Amino acid sequence: MDRIAIIGCGGSGKSTVARQLARVLDAPLTHLDAIYYDEHWRPLPQDEFAAQQEKLVVGERWIIEGNYAGSLPIRLAAADTVIFLDLPATTCLWGIAQRRWRYRGGQHHQDGVYDRITWNFIRYILGYRRTMRPRVQGLLREHGPHVRLITLTSRRQAARLIDRVRDEQQSVT
């Protein structure tokens, strides 16, 4: 696990899993939201966003978290591991509610997340498994047949993965 792409619905826990794995593996972490949006929540043009990712994936070791299906092939081509957080919509909605409560809204500069809960965002979360999951799975088949795919369907599974990786790292050192 040297080049890890972490994908999943908003509120699924991508940032949390990425931070924990980066700590355990001592790997550089990039939150795509922090690249895609500036401090005024303006998106980067798609070609610049893709170019930024092209630069990131040449690294020997990295963890990149964020969905962005339009540029997912860039990450898939270079990744050796993909962690797909495929959690139920209710869990993801609870995740964004917890994040909103914890940070009290606003933009979190360290990971680029902006707590902007809109009806469109809620609809996106509610429909993710029906609309985005098949698209992501198709991209995985097309651009990532070489990756080790780890699909997690609960927060408990995510915690067990972190524990397992931590145990493996401790047994190596």
Side-chain angles (χ1 to χ4, degrees):
M1 290 177 56
D2 290 317
R3 295 175 311 280
I4 305 167
I6 301 176
I7 58 177
C9 185
S12 63
K14 295 182 301 294
S15 295
T16 300
V17 168
R19 275 192 302 275
Q20 292 172 345
L21 272 179
R23 244 188 328 270
V24 169
L25 296 172
D26 192 28
L29 169 59
T30 301
H31 300 278
L32 288 179
D33 282 346
I35 293 173
Y36 188 67
Y37 295 106
D38 69 12
E39 65 275 1
H40 301 291
W41 199 239
R42 291 179 302 230
L44 200 61
Q46 291 299 315
D47 58 335
E48 290 179 41
F49 186 49
Q52 291 282 351
Q53 289 179 71
E54 292 283 358
K55 290 177 190 173
L56 289 169
V57 299
V58 297
E60 240 180 82
R61 298 182 70 233
W62 46 261
I63 297 172
I64 301 174
E65 71 87 8
N67 220 35
Y68 298 98
S71 61
L72 183 56
I74 295 168
R75 288 167 275 139
L76 291 178
D80 58 41
T81 305
V82 172
I83 298 173
F84 181 22
L85 294 167
D86 187 19
L87 278 64
T90 52
T91 304
C92 295
L93 289 170
W94 179 244
I96 63 167
Q98 287 178 309
R99 181 172 62 206
R100 176 72 173 196
W101 177 255
R102 183 172 39 254
Y103 294 110
R104 304 292 194 266
Q107 189 163 357
H108 320 151
H109 296 287
Q110 73 275 10
D111 56 17
V113 173
Y114 185 80
D115 276 339
R116 182 181 58 161
I117 300 174
T118 65
W119 285 113
N120 282 342
F121 187 49
I122 291 170
R123 279 194 294 274
Y124 169 77
I125 290 170
L126 291 172
Y128 185 89
R129 280 183 146 180
R130 188 180 64 257
T131 58
M132 280 303 296
R133 178 172 54 179
R135 182 174 176 203
V136 167
Q137 289 170 327
L139 290 168
L140 282 162
R141 279 190 301 277
E142 184 178 349
H143 300 281
H146 61 281
V147 303
R148 174 182 177 206
L149 176 61
I150 301 170
T151 302
L152 305 172
T153 58
S154 72
R155 298 215 189 278
R156 182 172 287 131
Q157 286 180 351
R160 281 196 296 248
L161 172 67
I162 301 300
D163 289 343
R164 188 170 66 243
V165 171
R166 183 179 296 113
D167 292 346
E168 289 170 4
Q169 288 298 304
Q170 289 172 352
S171 70
V172 170
T173 55

